[in-house]
Amino acid sequence: VSEMVCDEEGFFDEHAQPKHKSRALLATETKQSETCDNIKQLIDEIKADTDLASKQIQCFASECMISKSLEAYKFKALQNKFFDYNQTLTSYRASVETFNNAVADKFLKKAAAEEAFEAFHPLKADATAKFHKDLEVYMSFASGAAEGSCGLTDCEMSAVCAFEMQYKFSD
């Protein structure tokens, strides 16, 4: 850059009027030489700062290498965690599928069992009616309402009495 700007042939023409006011400051020979020296010095400083042997560049390089190795370590840890996660997810999906299939089979098996027990529904109705009748007799006996009739209904008591009377007087 300094060679392009401070070139003896390509710099400012001393006799030409500068087009921009900022360039008017550089129009004199003394200022031109001073400015070129400053530019060259600044460029040399920039080159020195960007030299691979400079402490600042070495510090940045060291930090970069540490960051890069830490990133590689964390990325490897992330890959391992993802591998574990993927295995767990695959196992979970298989378990869900097995469960869903079992539930579907459960409903089919329940329907088949209910169908098989359809034959017992008439017996169930008879057993239910007998149970309720026996429960009624027991409740009347347990409450004391059937005292003296041993838990028999009035109709049953009169039938027993009629049979007994007939049996005794038949002699």
Side-chain angles (χ1 to χ4, degrees):
V1 173
S2 65
E3 285 84 16
M4 289 174 18
V5 173
C6 298
D7 179 346
E8 299 294 333
E9 298 167 8
F11 200 61
F12 292 104
D13 183 3
E14 295 175 15
H15 304 293
Q17 284 290 64
K19 292 181 183 177
H20 301 288
K21 288 183 180 182
S22 60
R23 290 194 179 180
L25 296 173
L26 300 173
T28 63
E29 175 101 16
T30 312
K31 290 200 177 197
Q32 176 182 356
S33 174
E34 189 180 303
T35 305
C36 281
D37 290 340
N38 286 340
I39 291 173
K40 286 180 182 178
Q41 181 186 354
L42 287 171
I43 289 175
D44 288 340
E45 286 177 17
I46 291 172
K47 282 182 180 178
D49 285 344
T50 58
D51 186 20
L52 292 178
S54 77
K55 288 184 180 181
Q56 192 174 11
I57 295 293
Q58 292 296 322
C59 182
F60 288 142
S62 174
E63 288 293 322
C64 183
M65 294 300 289
I66 290 170
S67 296
K68 188 175 180 180
S69 64
L70 182 61
E71 180 185 0
Y73 173 76
K74 287 184 176 182
F75 184 70
K76 184 65 177 170
L78 179 67
Q79 283 179 325
N80 292 340
K81 291 288 183 185
F82 178 75
F83 180 73
D84 293 343
Y85 165 78
N86 206 14
Q87 281 184 324
T88 304
L89 181 63
T90 303
S91 172
Y92 172 75
R93 284 181 177 162
S95 298
V96 166
E97 190 173 326
T98 303
F99 174 79
N100 288 340
N101 290 340
V103 168
D105 287 347
K106 179 182 103 172
F107 291 131
L108 292 174
K109 289 176 182 177
K110 180 181 175 185
E114 286 175 349
E115 212 172 284
F117 285 115
E118 290 292 324
F120 293 107
H121 284 303
L123 296 176
K124 179 182 172 187
D126 291 346
T128 301
K130 183 175 182 337
F131 169 77
H132 285 296
K133 182 179 178 206
D134 289 346
L135 179 64
E136 187 180 316
V137 169
Y138 171 77
M139 292 307 287
S140 80
F141 180 75
S143 68
E147 191 175 323
S149 60
C150 301
L152 299 174
T153 63
D154 291 336
C155 178
E156 291 170 335
M157 278 304 288
S158 48
V160 168
C161 288
F163 179 76
E164 280 294 317
M165 291 172 84
Q166 190 179 26
Y167 177 71
K168 284 189 178 187
F169 291 113
S170 65
D171 288 338

